[in-house]
Amino acid sequence: MEMIKNRSLLSALCEPANSAHTANLAANLAVTNPATGEELGCISTDSEADIYAAIERSAVAQKSWQKTSAKERATILHRWYQLLMDNQADLARIITLEQGKPLAEAEGEVAYGASFIEWFAEEAKRTYGDTIPGHTRDRRLMTIKQPVGVATAITPWNFPIAMITRKAAPALAAGCSFVGKPANQTPLSAYAVVELAYQAGVPKELLQLVIHNSPEVVGQIFCKNEIVRKLSFTGSTRVGRILTAQCAETVKRVSMELGGNAPFIVFDDADIDTAVAGAIASKFRNAGQTCICANRFYIHDAVYDQFIDKFCAAVVQLKVGNGLEPGVTIGPLINHAAKNKVLRLIEAAVAEGARIVTGGNHRDGLFVEPTVLTDVSQTMGIVREEIFGPVAPVIRFSTDEELITMANDTIYGLAAYFYSRDIGRIWTVAEALEYGMVGINEGSISTDVAPFGGIKQSGFGREGAKEGIDEYLEVKYLCFGGIR
Ligand code: ADP
């Protein structure tokens, strides 16, 4: 933590482990570096009473915030955006230290996270309603859009900054207040960006973070509290189901960005070099720990050997290690449970007949070697489950029909990727894939300007783009009568 120049970014951090803070473990949350296992420090947690109080303060703050003009909100958000970019190097280091991704990727995340603030600063001014041609002579009809009120969010550890800004920025732009709970593994990045929001002029009560040693406690309060009007969640489908059910009790507006199981498809007419580059980008970003990472590869018979050769040649170039070291492209996984799951999936696949063509060697700590598996079948756990690690299972296919059936054979529907040069096939396959996002001859699809989100058990609602702000707005219909 010594290398962070702007010390205000660490204001949430208590003293490191051996200090008096550890005497009261229940009230503190230790944050560790997954690359080294070293404790970075701890932050103090909130009691249930603190969380209720934060929600009540949030409701008061929202009432005055909703009266501000869109331009006033946009000005503050623009300042916040600029502060993230001004502190990009420090924020990236904090991400790498607590999350593990390589520094270059962490810098990319800061810019990506900041881009949502800039985008929604602009969208704040465009929350147009409609005037509607009336159905009788004496009436005039219109709609206005208004903020939903107090919005809450629960975010994951894999993008500790971008997942906060992708939710908080549209909420504030729309005129909502925001109470977020970052992932317990990566709170420091979240508290750092919120500190910058305060420096940009966001009132403290309007944008708050809370954290508790048991995420369930925060989830219960957010979902069941009647003051809270909205919950936005990014995380696993398992937890998404729980939160959706809990929100039913108060009929709360909900957005769910959940797990994925992205197919990565290469047809016989694809440009193989482009496909390999896309496969590396899509599979190995964040060591395979993104919900839109390619999870299973389908390669056409005619190009199978060529793809495998080139893909493996690119995979062996990846460098595993501490994300702070120059040249490292694959950092550690987030914790032992994640590593054990990935190793278990590889072992089970091999026991069922899969072949390791590259990788698969033991690594100490939380590191997993980038691994390619062939002779994989559709029924293996490694194809059915979200891997969340740097492992690519490859399946061979020969017809488009068989391919579409296998690609859609999952409860998930977040992202899919395919490579082809045939315009007819491109349209047919793009329309047939049951996914919220499809990369066509492209493995990196995330951007603030396009709608991010899934279908099926990958969730509902869209983030970013013009759709993103609607998640925090209600449409009110006004009917003007008695007009002569
Ligand atoms: P991941 O597999 O990415 O860790 P999770 O769904 O477990 O995904 O976690 C995503 C976020 O949800 C984190 O902030 C985590 O603390 C939180 N979380 C986990 N379980 C619950 C729960 N039962 N209720 C509310 N939040 C939860």
Side-chain angles (χ1 to χ4, degrees):
M1 286 284 128
E2 306 79 56
M3 25 176 133
I4 308 301
K5 294 198 184 80
N6 181 350
R7 304 306 290 177
S8 74
L9 298 179
L10 298 175
S11 48
L13 195 66
C14 315
E15 296 303 309
N18 43 14
S19 79
H21 284 284
T22 42
N24 184 3
L25 272 180
N28 283 291
L29 181 75
V31 185
T32 54
N33 179 343
T36 60
E38 159 207 14
E39 191 172 314
L40 296 166
C42 56
I43 61 169
S44 58
T45 56
D46 297 284
S47 67
E48 291 185 37
D50 293 337
I51 301 168
Y52 284 114
I55 292 170
E56 276 163 28
R57 283 196 302 276
S58 189
V60 175
Q62 195 272 327
K63 289 283 175 254
S64 37
W65 184 246
Q66 71 176 0
K67 295 195 184 109
T68 56
S69 70
K71 191 176 167 73
E72 288 171 277
R73 296 196 293 278
T75 302
I76 293 179
L77 288 171
H78 273 299
R79 279 206 295 265
W80 187 20
Y81 160 77
Q82 195 53 52
L83 283 174
L84 258 77
M85 294 312 295
D86 293 348
N87 287 277
Q88 186 176 18
D90 273 348
L91 291 170
R93 274 188 184 277
I94 297 175
I95 293 178
T96 298
L97 283 167
E98 68 176 355
Q99 197 272 335
K101 69 178 63 173
L103 204 51
E105 274 190 44
E107 282 169 6
E109 181 183 342
V110 177
Y112 177 57
S115 74
F116 288 104
I117 307 177
E118 183 184 45
W119 171 263
F120 286 111
E122 292 156 356
E123 286 301 286
K125 301 176 196 163
R126 297 186 193 113
T127 57
Y128 305 117
D130 287 323
T131 53
I132 304 165
H135 57 304
T136 63
R137 291 185 177 192
D138 64 339
R139 296 187 200 179
R140 301 292 181 271
L141 318 181
M142 66 185 295
T143 60
I144 57 171
K145 289 191 178 171
Q146 292 182 296
V148 298
V150 176
T152 57
I154 298 178
T155 55
W157 48 263
N158 58 349
F159 288 90
I161 284 184
M163 295 306 100
I164 293 277
T165 57
R166 192 158 83 174
K167 298 176 193 304
L172 298 188
C176 294
S177 56
F178 185 90
V179 186
K181 187 204 85 67
N184 289 22
Q185 296 89 338
T186 56
L188 299 176
S189 314
Y191 280 92
V193 288
V194 165
E195 170 58 31
L196 291 175
Y198 299 151
Q199 293 176 16
V202 174
K204 287 207 164 163
E205 301 73 24
L206 193 72
L207 174 62
Q208 301 174 83
L209 293 178
V210 294
I211 196 138
H212 191 285
N213 272 300
S214 306
E216 309 78 54
V217 169
V218 186
Q220 293 264 1
I221 296 176
F222 281 2
C223 294
K224 297 187 176 178
N225 188 288
E226 290 187 0
I227 299 173
V228 174
R229 305 297 286 275
K230 162 89 193 179
L231 173 75
S232 178
F233 173 70
T234 297
S236 61
T237 294
R238 180 186 72 79
V239 174
R241 288 188 192 111
I242 296 171
L243 295 173
T244 307
Q246 283 176 187
C247 282
E249 215 173 286
T250 51
V251 195
K252 216 178 287 308
R253 288 272 301 268
V254 178
S255 307
M256 289 283 148
E257 201 269 274
L258 308 177
N261 184 355
F264 188 102
I265 302 153
V266 181
F267 286 100
D268 50 352
D269 62 338
D271 180 308
I272 300 302
D273 291 333
T274 311
V276 167
I280 296 288
S282 167
K283 174 71 251 182
F284 296 105
R285 185 162 160 234
N286 205 5
Q289 303 172 106
T290 89
C291 49
I292 59 167
C293 271
N295 202 59
R296 51 204 164 109
F297 290 74
Y298 296 96
I299 312 298
H300 191 278
D301 244 346
V303 292
Y304 186 88
D305 292 339
Q306 191 191 354
F307 178 85
I308 295 288
D309 285 351
K310 291 188 169 183
F311 185 45
C312 289
V315 169
V316 296
Q317 301 295 322
L318 297 168
K319 188 173 166 205
V320 179
N322 185 330
L324 290 179
E325 285 166 21
V328 164
T329 45
I330 305 278
L333 297 192
I334 191 69
N335 55 28
H336 285 287
K339 179 173 177 179
N340 291 341
K341 177 185 176 180
V342 173
L343 297 184
R344 177 179 58 75
L345 287 172
I346 297 175
E347 263 172 44
V350 169
E352 291 174 55
R355 203 161 59 84
I356 296 176
V357 283
T358 186
N361 297 309
H362 170 80
R363 296 276 183 154
D364 288 336
L366 296 177
F367 297 98
V368 171
E369 200 168 57
T371 301
V372 178
L373 295 171
T374 56
D375 299 318
V376 171
S377 70
Q378 181 72 7
T379 52
M380 291 180 183
I382 204 151
V383 169
R384 316 295 312 169
E385 292 182 41
E386 198 174 21
I387 306 169
F388 246 58
V391 183
V394 188
I395 296 180
R396 200 187 268 270
F397 76 93
S398 48
T399 71
D400 290 20
E401 294 70 28
E402 160 205 30
L403 178 271
I404 292 293
T405 304
M406 288 194 289
N408 287 338
D409 174 25
T410 170
I411 59 166
Y412 299 106
L414 193 58
Y417 307 86
F418 71 93
Y419 284 71
S420 167
R421 315 288 300 171
D422 179 316
I423 191 69
R425 177 187 257 163
I426 286 176
W427 273 104
T428 309
V429 174
E431 288 172 2
L433 287 171
E434 295 169 351
Y435 291 85
M437 298 174 279
V438 181
I440 302 157
N441 298 320
E442 183 53 64
S444 311
I445 57 173
S446 300
T447 159
D448 53 318
V449 306
F452 191 106
I455 62 172
K456 295 166 77 178
Q457 294 187 38
S458 290
F460 41 81
R462 291 294 178 268
E463 296 193 302
K466 65 182 163 61
E467 287 85 354
I469 200 163
D470 285 334
E471 302 285 326
Y472 297 89
L473 290 166
E474 304 283 10
V475 175
K476 186 180 278 177
Y477 154 51
L478 306 178
C479 177
F480 298 80
I483 293 167
R484 288 172 234 285

